[in-house]
Amino acid sequence: MSHPTATSPAPWKPTFESHLEKVGGAGAEFTLATVSAKGLPHARTCIFRGFWATLPPNEHNELPKNPSIYGSDCPTFTTDARMVKTYDIFATGKGKGDLAQSRSGSGGGGPVEAVFWVKETMTQWRIRGKCWLVAAEDVEGGEEAQNSGTVTVKAEVGRYMRVKEGSNHAEKEKDWSWKLEVENYFENLSPMMRGTFKNPPPGQPLREGKDDSAGEGLGQKAGHLSDEPLARKNFRVCIITPEQVEAVDLTDPANCIRQVWTLAEEAGGPGGPQPSESLGEWNLVQTWP
Ligand SMILES: Cc1cc2nc3c(=O)[nH]c(=O)nc-3n(C[C@H](O)[C@H](O)[C@H](O)COP(=O)(O)O)c2cc1C
């Protein structure tokens, strides 16, 4: 499979990352747009949780960590499998997942756009690509335990994971666990935030009540993901595999430009508008804002 940004970060990433640092880094708010099965737009606020495979340290986190051997250009966030965005991302993926599949485990692949307005640098970033959802429950285990969604997610996201330079890193790849990474994402949340994955079903009318026997309730805390069956069922790490990135810098009205980077066809991307300047696996076009 083609390998986007096999050896070095995407050309837009260092600037994007430095802008995010100005608005809290992991913790920055952004707007996530998805498309429904009926072709309608849905947008909502989410929180950036770092780039995949480089989860930032966190005071709440007591778990062992994966070896620090990968880098990626993939923004991540977390969500609840019972929310509309999860179904949107499954329904519009290649596999056209149904509602039951979207709630049962890893998969997805539908198109998303993530929009970050960084006022501090007067720059709007729009990250377009596919979104993949990872569940702790099915992402590892024997080949039989893995559904086709899991295999696809690992292959598609794996393309974007580059082994960092350094001795023995290739050897350590077998020690890197997807499940442990998902558990660490959960552990990075505050106990109160972890507890929200035991909320009654998001969007379900109040009059339908809640499942007390399953432990559903508002305002709960939660511990480790491995000790929380209900939260484990609902918790997802969402990974955006970027294919086109736009930045518009509005600092100087007389000098605004819009930069559009598109992943080249040879790297498995859409190629984008031409002519363009080739920057490794990405094609850059500068446009009027
Ligand atoms: C500041 C803020 C941060 C939020 N962060 C997230 C997030 O990281 N993930 C998430 O799924 N929902 C987050 N939400 C809630 C969503 O905006 C939305 O209400 C919820 O996910 C249900 O959306 P959906 O049914 O369209 O999926 C956040 C809301 C606010 C106001």
Side-chain angles (χ1 to χ4, degrees):
M1 219 184 236
S2 55
H3 204 317
T5 53
T7 51
S8 50
W12 45 268
K13 189 189 170 190
T15 316
F16 179 50
E17 199 168 23
S18 74
H19 286 192
L20 287 181
E21 286 307 321
K22 295 193 194 299
V23 284
E29 293 165 12
F30 68 98
T31 302
L32 178 82
T34 56
V35 182
S36 76
K38 291 185 175 148
L40 296 173
H42 288 142
R44 76 288 280 161
T45 310
C46 286
I47 295 191
F48 171 69
R49 300 285 178 192
F51 291 93
W52 176 243
T54 54
L55 190 62
N58 186 287
E59 54 173 334
H60 299 293
N61 193 324
E62 296 170 359
L63 292 183
K65 309 290 180 300
N66 270 320
S68 172
I69 56 170
Y70 292 115
S72 85
D73 309 317
C74 304
T76 62
F77 59 99
T78 63
T79 201
D80 188 309
R82 302 167 298 175
M83 288 175 170
V84 167
K85 75 180 78 53
T86 305
Y87 177 44
D88 283 356
I89 291 166
F90 267 72
T92 56
K94 246 192 199 147
K96 295 200 171 26
D98 61 25
L99 185 64
Q101 283 166 330
S102 75
R103 292 186 173 174
S104 77
S106 304
V112 296
E113 179 166 298
V115 184
F116 297 76
W117 165 232
V118 185
K119 211 171 187 173
E120 285 73 1
T121 61
M122 291 298 280
T123 303
Q124 173 181 259
W125 289 88
R126 302 164 85 183
I127 317 286
R128 306 189 180 112
K130 298 190 176 80
C131 190
W132 306 94
L133 277 67
V134 188
E137 212 76 307
D138 68 355
V139 77
E140 249 151 43
E143 285 301 315
E144 328 76 57
Q146 300 198 355
N147 61 31
S148 66
T150 308
V151 175
T152 308
V153 169
K154 284 181 159 175
E156 293 287 343
V157 176
R159 295 165 58 214
Y160 282 79
M161 293 165 70
R162 42 173 184 272
V163 181
K164 285 186 197 164
E165 276 180 41
S167 57
N168 290 333
H169 281 170
E171 253 170 60
K172 288 189 198 142
E173 282 187 75
K174 60 178 181 335
D175 300 328
W176 200 93
S177 156
W178 288 68
K179 184 174 182 181
L180 181 60
E181 197 69 6
V182 174
E183 289 171 345
N184 268 284
Y185 267 86
F186 189 74
E187 192 87 5
N188 261 24
L189 304 175
S190 68
M192 207 67 208
M193 187 61 215
R194 293 179 207 163
T196 62
F197 294 91
K198 301 191 283 188
N199 280 355
Q204 181 173 293
L206 292 180
R207 64 179 151 71
E208 289 175 26
K210 58 188 170 72
D211 188 345
D212 294 309
S213 64
E216 286 177 6
L218 295 177
Q220 305 190 72
K221 288 186 178 173
H224 305 307
L225 192 61
S226 55
D227 301 330
E228 299 279 354
L230 181 56
R232 207 159 60 235
K233 198 162 164 257
N234 299 325
F235 182 68
R236 298 291 180 270
V237 174
C238 312
I239 307 165
I240 300 176
T241 49
E243 295 175 350
Q244 186 169 65
V245 173
E246 253 189 48
V248 61
D249 180 345
L250 302 172
T251 312
D252 176 1
N255 251 319
C256 294
I257 58 159
R258 190 192 320 197
Q259 293 183 287
V260 186
W261 296 265
T262 309
L263 192 62
E265 285 178 21
E266 307 84 73
Q274 300 298 334
S276 66
E277 181 190 349
S278 176
L279 301 167
E281 291 84 356
W282 293 80
N283 300 330
L284 171 63
V285 177
Q286 312 220 32
T287 76
W288 298 114

